[in-house]
Amino acid sequence: MEQLPTSPGERPEDTSASRRSAYTATATISEQGIVTEWSEEASRLLGYVPAEVVGLPAAHLLADSAGDAARRIPPDEHRWSGTVALRHRDGQRLEVGLLAHRWTSTGGTAKWFVVSAVAGGPRVPWDEPLKDWAFTQSPCSLAIFDADLRLVRANAGMEGTLSLSETEMRGLRLSEIAPDPVSDETERKMRLVLENGEPQSVDSFVRPTGAGTEHGGATSLAPLRDPDGRVRAVYLTTHDRAGAEDGLQRMLLPDVTNARIGTTQDSTRTAQELLDAAVPGLADFAFVDLLEPPPRPDEPSPAPVTGPVTVRRTAVRSVLEGSPESRVTVGTTTVHPPLSPPVECLAAGRGAVYGSADPALARWVGQDPGAAWITEYGTHSIMVVPMRAGGTTIGVTVFSRHQRREPFHPEDLWLAEELTTKAAVSIHSAHRAGREHTSTMTLQRSLLPHTLPVQSALDIASRYLPAGGEAGVGGDWFDVIPLSGARVALVVGDVVGHGIRATATMGRLRTAVRTLADVDLPPDELLTHLDDLIIHLSADEADQGAAGEAAGGIGTTCLYVVYDPVTRRCTVARAGHLPPAVVSPEGSVYLLDVPAGPPLGLGGLPFETVEVELPEGSVLALYTDGLLQPREHDIDEALDSMFAALVRPASTLDTVCDRVLTALLSHPPEDDVALLVARTRALHSDQVVVWDLDSDPSIVSHARRYTTDQLTAWGLDEAAFVTELLVSELVTNAIRYGEPPIQLRLIHENTTLICEVSDASSTAPHMRRARTFDEGGRGLLLVAQLAQRWGTRHAPIGKTIWAEQSLIGF
């Protein structure tokens, strides 16, 4: 690429060292011609800051029609180069040499990566001396890169390898000439050559953009010294192996295709089959590490790896009996430290080959005692290959050689990637099939709500895991039930036993809880009614001569929680169930002190209610006993593990649920596990208003005026007419049929407006049909027609009549 005498975009009088240094301007352009990325160097070249360019058509940067050739690039072209006239921000016309590469992401989105090398100030001349050194020392196709890793010369062989002329490549880095992970690895080795003056080799292929593996060759790097012996540059040579590689791959392909990998749905078995296919044919020692916890198949891949990685050693294999190289037992969790080869390859998303002199191996041995086998067994060559399938990284496989003398070559890496991919696809499919089976089974047997209801009092996440043993699905359940006054009820229950009987009993109880919650029974009264239901079910089964465990559900446990976002108070009662855990906003965690109460079905014993105030942002965790009864823990250890998982900061409650399950369940649960996690919200004073009213008919007009003024303050003028009618009818009924004191409350809850009128009478109103000439009896009928829903709830003294309106559409 032609170098300009002065850097475009800079003034001739600017002679600072920083301004005179060479640099590369880069930008990214979508297939539609829109600028999507703009580097600092591009701003330096043309004067535009990113905010002035990103999102605009790239054609706006062209000075004239000279860029038409760039506009009409054929769709099948992967690269374009040429000189284009661009417009500087100050109006100056700049002739700039460009090289553009078309990239296609894994999701199928194509974009153009555009680069331009901008020359700096005076540099050491590279003409005659380099010609003599290069062509006397070059073994074959050659490119020379200076101390900044920028190309300064390339011979005809290298021009043919990269399909670009020396002029087009001059001043660019290898990663800009041929954007590819292989180029990044090659540049890393170039720096080593410059630092220590030792030759390096890269068992990879330098290939032009869009070319397949049939182009290019293995790469050798060597220092280029001046007559005084100082390293002045790096020369890169490629050895064409295309024909030999194709032949070797044709020979190896049947072995890869026929390898028995993924014969079962067991991840451990599949990992072992991968190593059986690789050792001893490909490697002397190998192991498979799967990420811990395993990534969910339905979630996108996480951000690039930057720190330590926790894995579970899933399989090992060695040519030596007993695999003595492995210091980590199969099934054990271990951590790969930052900058170790496994972490580097997981971050890059590609495999790599490491030689014994590679600094990355020395760092790994120094940081991880489990990597001592590298030096103890004389390992001289290592391949690390990430395990990816379906866009998800699930682990990493490491291959090594310490018995055979030859190091791993590019074809070995290709074969290792084929084997690893085959195993990764099988393991990923097994994980997905297992999760889909669990979800299908859960939905089919109605163990979970299909969806959680829309409400604004709580943020909620849930998990349900059926028993993994032969006993079958049990009767654990949970539910979330919206109540009047913006309150929400949380329910978790556990029916004794497994199978169809427990499932049927669970269905009856869940329906009964929803029905009783709909009439706003206090938690202790609701559990008393459930207790009576269990007794009746047991009696019915006894009359029918039914046998089996826990007839009628006797011994069932249940936890019922009601949270009010207006008062921030939580009312709880439990029937033999485990108490809920609470995490305060400050980070303390504890079990809520709630009297246990007897399990359901025993009869004649009371249930007690506890009421506590929870600060906004508190987290409630409701669960069944299957979560705390894994084989390897006692109850105290399980509680400690659950507390530790709950108290860790997390961006979402789904993350909290996953952490709790990961911390407590290392095996498929022997009993059903239901987990419900909720974070409290609060309705503040600007969303709730209360008026105390006199028991006088004249106060009705005042109540309407209060209501209208408040709706205006809330910006709900369009809802005023209907709300005035509701308030008028409810206040009139309270004055006429109720007892003082009388109170009016309005609650503005996101898309809902709630009107409540309370009085001291316990007599509940009921709707009746008024006759033609009746003067009254139409009030509640009017309320029912105007409100989305309405009802009555009782308090220890008095009652509240409430009506809700949807604000959607106002």
Side-chain angles (χ1 to χ4, degrees):
M1 187 173 296
E2 296 182 2
Q3 297 190 8
L4 302 176
T6 59
S7 301
E10 301 172 10
R11 299 295 171 261
E13 64 272 19
D14 186 355
T15 59
S16 65
S18 61
R19 283 292 186 181
R20 288 160 45 221
S21 61
Y23 62 92
T24 301
T26 64
T28 302
I29 302 173
S30 70
E31 283 284 84
Q32 293 73 34
I34 303 300
V35 179
T36 57
E37 296 179 29
W38 189 256
S39 69
E40 293 183 7
E41 291 76 13
S43 299
R44 181 175 166 187
L45 174 64
L46 294 180
Y48 300 97
V49 298
E52 296 175 311
V53 177
V54 173
L56 297 179
H60 289 179
L61 300 173
L62 298 176
D64 49 37
S65 59
D68 287 345
R71 301 173 193 253
R72 299 190 298 269
I73 303 174
D76 58 345
E77 288 291 329
H78 290 277
R79 186 171 59 188
W80 181 90
S81 65
T83 300
V84 175
L86 301 180
R87 182 185 298 108
H88 191 275
R89 191 175 186 275
D90 62 8
Q92 179 185 359
R93 185 178 185 274
L94 303 177
E95 294 284 341
V96 179
L98 298 181
L99 175 60
H101 310 272
R102 188 198 301 267
W103 280 7
T104 303
S105 68
T106 55
T109 302
K111 61 182 180 180
W112 285 92
F113 175 58
V114 183
V115 298
S116 177
V118 182
R123 303 177 64 93
V124 176
W126 288 104
D127 297 330
E128 295 304 322
L130 271 184
K131 291 179 181 178
D132 295 338
W133 304 338
F135 290 100
T136 57
Q137 301 177 35
S138 172
C140 55
S141 298
L142 170 68
I144 302 176
F145 294 83
D146 64 14
D148 294 327
L149 301 187
R150 298 182 180 279
L151 186 140
V152 293
R153 286 299 306 271
N155 66 2
M158 186 58 68
E159 289 178 328
T161 298
L162 294 177
S163 302
L164 286 170
S165 68
E166 180 187 88
T167 301
E168 293 172 312
M169 294 186 289
R170 185 182 297 129
L172 296 177
R173 302 169 77 102
L174 181 61
S175 57
E176 297 162 349
I177 298 170
D180 189 275
V182 171
S183 297
D184 297 334
E185 174 69 10
T186 304
E187 286 192 349
R188 187 176 73 86
K189 293 294 182 70
M190 284 186 190
R191 294 188 184 95
L192 294 178
V193 174
L194 290 171
E195 291 171 3
N196 56 35
E198 296 295 330
Q200 299 286 330
S201 63
V202 181
D203 293 324
S204 305
F205 298 89
V206 178
R207 53 179 78 94
T209 304
T213 56
E214 69 274 8
H215 294 81
T219 303
S220 297
L221 305 168
L224 188 58
R225 304 176 186 275
D226 63 14
D228 297 328
R230 294 176 299 177
V231 177
R232 298 285 302 280
V234 179
Y235 68 74
L236 178 152
T237 61
T238 59
H239 307 278
D240 187 7
R241 290 182 173 178
E245 180 191 352
D246 289 344
L248 180 59
Q249 290 185 359
R250 283 194 296 270
M251 291 189 294
L252 294 176
L253 188 58
D255 294 333
V256 175
T257 304
N258 297 329
R260 293 181 57 81
I261 299 176
T263 58
T264 68
Q265 292 290 306
D266 184 88
S267 299
T268 302
R269 176 70 178 273
T270 300
Q272 194 60 54
E273 289 172 344
L274 161 62
L275 302 187
D276 291 343
V279 179
L282 176 64
D284 299 326
F285 170 61
F287 59 83
V288 173
D289 286 343
L290 298 183
L291 298 183
E292 187 67 26
R296 294 175 61 87
D298 54 348
E299 290 183 347
S301 292
V305 178
T306 58
V309 175
T310 302
V311 295
R312 176 172 54 86
R313 182 63 48 87
T314 306
V316 298
R317 179 72 188 270
S318 172
V319 294
L320 304 178
E321 185 176 354
S323 300
E325 301 97 325
S326 180
R327 300 301 177 86
V328 180
T329 306
V330 171
T332 301
T333 299
T334 186
V335 177
H336 289 307
L339 301 180
S340 63
V343 174
E344 285 185 342
C345 290
L346 286 172
R350 59 183 176 84
V353 177
Y354 297 84
S356 58
D358 198 301
L361 292 187
R363 285 197 306 268
W364 190 13
V365 174
Q367 292 178 321
D368 185 2
W373 56 272
I374 297 175
T375 55
E376 291 182 4
Y377 288 85
T379 301
H380 60 84
S381 189
I382 290 179
M383 290 190 299
V384 183
V385 181
M387 302 185 73
R388 290 183 55 83
T392 302
T393 300
I394 63 174
V396 64
T397 304
V398 177
F399 307 85
S400 71
R401 285 180 177 175
H402 57 75
Q403 294 287 304
R404 68 183 74 188
R405 296 180 179 177
E406 64 274 15
F408 288 117
H409 292 294
E411 55 268 22
D412 297 316
L413 181 60
W414 172 84
L415 177 57
E417 289 173 340
E418 291 293 315
L419 290 169
T420 302
T421 299
K422 191 172 184 179
V425 169
S426 178
I427 294 173
H428 180 73
S429 298
H431 286 172
R432 180 180 294 276
R435 293 181 185 274
E436 292 176 351
H437 176 67
T438 299
S439 300
T440 301
M441 186 167 51
T442 300
L443 292 175
Q444 286 176 341
R445 305 195 184 191
S446 303
L447 295 176
L448 287 174
H450 287 271
T451 57
L452 296 179
V454 177
Q455 47 77 39
S456 59
L458 298 166
D459 292 321
I460 296 176
S462 63
R463 294 290 185 272
Y464 190 97
L465 298 179
E470 297 180 357
V473 179
D476 290 17
W477 92 95
F478 69 88
D479 214 345
V480 180
I481 308 170
L483 303 176
S484 64
R487 298 169 304 136
V488 176
L490 304 177
V491 191
V492 170
D494 184 357
V495 176
V496 177
H498 296 83
I500 190 63
R501 184 186 300 275
T503 302
T505 301
M506 178 274 292
R508 291 174 173 178
L509 291 178
R510 183 177 171 218
T511 301
V513 170
R514 281 189 158 267
T515 302
L516 295 170
D518 195 52
V519 296
D520 265 316
L521 288 181
D524 54 345
E525 291 187 32
L526 184 143
L527 293 180
T528 299
H529 283 282
L530 281 186
D531 189 45
D532 292 337
L533 174 61
I534 292 292
I535 293 173
H536 289 308
L537 291 176
S538 179
D540 289 343
E541 290 189 0
D543 291 341
Q544 298 169 10
E549 62 182 43
I554 293 176
T556 294
T557 65
C558 183
L559 174 65
Y560 189 79
V561 178
V562 176
Y563 175 70
D564 187 345
V566 176
T567 64
R568 302 177 184 83
R569 299 195 70 82
C570 189
T571 308
V572 186
R574 62 186 180 116
H577 202 86
L578 296 166
V582 178
V583 182
S584 71
E586 296 78 23
S588 61
V589 57
Y590 57 94
L591 292 178
L592 203 59
D593 187 13
V594 184
L600 299 175
L602 301 184
L605 298 174
F607 302 96
E608 297 183 51
T609 296
V610 170
E611 189 175 44
V612 297
E613 184 173 346
L614 296 178
E616 184 178 7
S618 299
V619 174
L620 279 166
L622 288 68
Y623 48 91
T624 54
D625 60 1
L627 182 67
L628 302 181
Q629 294 179 349
R631 293 187 292 263
E632 65 272 25
H633 299 299
D634 61 32
I635 187 70
D636 290 332
E637 292 177 346
L639 283 173
D640 289 342
S641 297
M642 182 179 72
F643 286 174
L646 287 172
V647 81
R648 288 176 59 192
S651 58
T652 66
L653 292 181
D654 283 311
T655 301
V656 175
C657 288
D658 291 340
R659 284 177 178 170
V660 170
L661 296 181
T662 300
L664 292 171
L665 302 177
S666 57
H667 306 284
E670 297 178 349
D671 194 7
D672 290 7
V673 173
L675 175 63
L676 188 63
V677 178
R679 180 180 288 113
T680 62
R681 296 175 178 171
L683 293 178
H684 300 283
S685 57
D686 60 342
Q687 297 173 275
V688 182
V689 62
V690 180
W691 296 280
D692 293 321
L693 305 177
D694 295 333
S695 185
D696 185 336
S698 65
I699 203 67
V700 176
S701 61
H702 295 284
R704 288 197 297 266
R705 187 174 67 255
Y706 298 155
T707 300
T708 302
D709 292 343
Q710 185 59 49
L711 293 183
T712 300
W714 282 340
L716 301 176
D717 292 317
E718 294 182 7
F721 177 74
V722 172
T723 308
E724 279 189 47
L725 291 177
L726 292 174
V727 168
S728 182
E729 291 298 332
L730 295 181
V731 173
T732 299
N733 280 348
I735 295 172
R736 182 175 298 176
Y737 304 110
E739 297 177 7
I742 298 173
Q743 191 177 78
L744 169 62
R745 183 168 76 162
L746 296 181
I747 302 174
H748 181 200
E749 181 198 24
N750 294 335
T751 60
T752 302
L753 180 63
I754 304 170
C755 173
E756 297 182 341
V757 176
S758 305
D759 69 87
S761 171
S762 297
T763 302
H766 62 279
M767 194 163 47
R768 63 184 176 87
R769 183 180 298 277
R771 290 174 295 183
T772 303
F773 298 101
D774 285 352
E775 293 183 0
R778 298 178 178 85
L780 290 181
L781 179 62
L782 180 63
V783 170
Q785 294 298 316
L786 295 176
Q788 186 178 29
R789 65 185 190 122
W790 73 281
T792 305
R793 70 172 179 269
H794 289 271
I797 298 177
K799 67 180 181 298
T800 298
I801 313 298
W802 55 269
E804 291 184 6
Q805 301 175 69
S806 173
L807 297 177
I808 298 176
F810 283 133

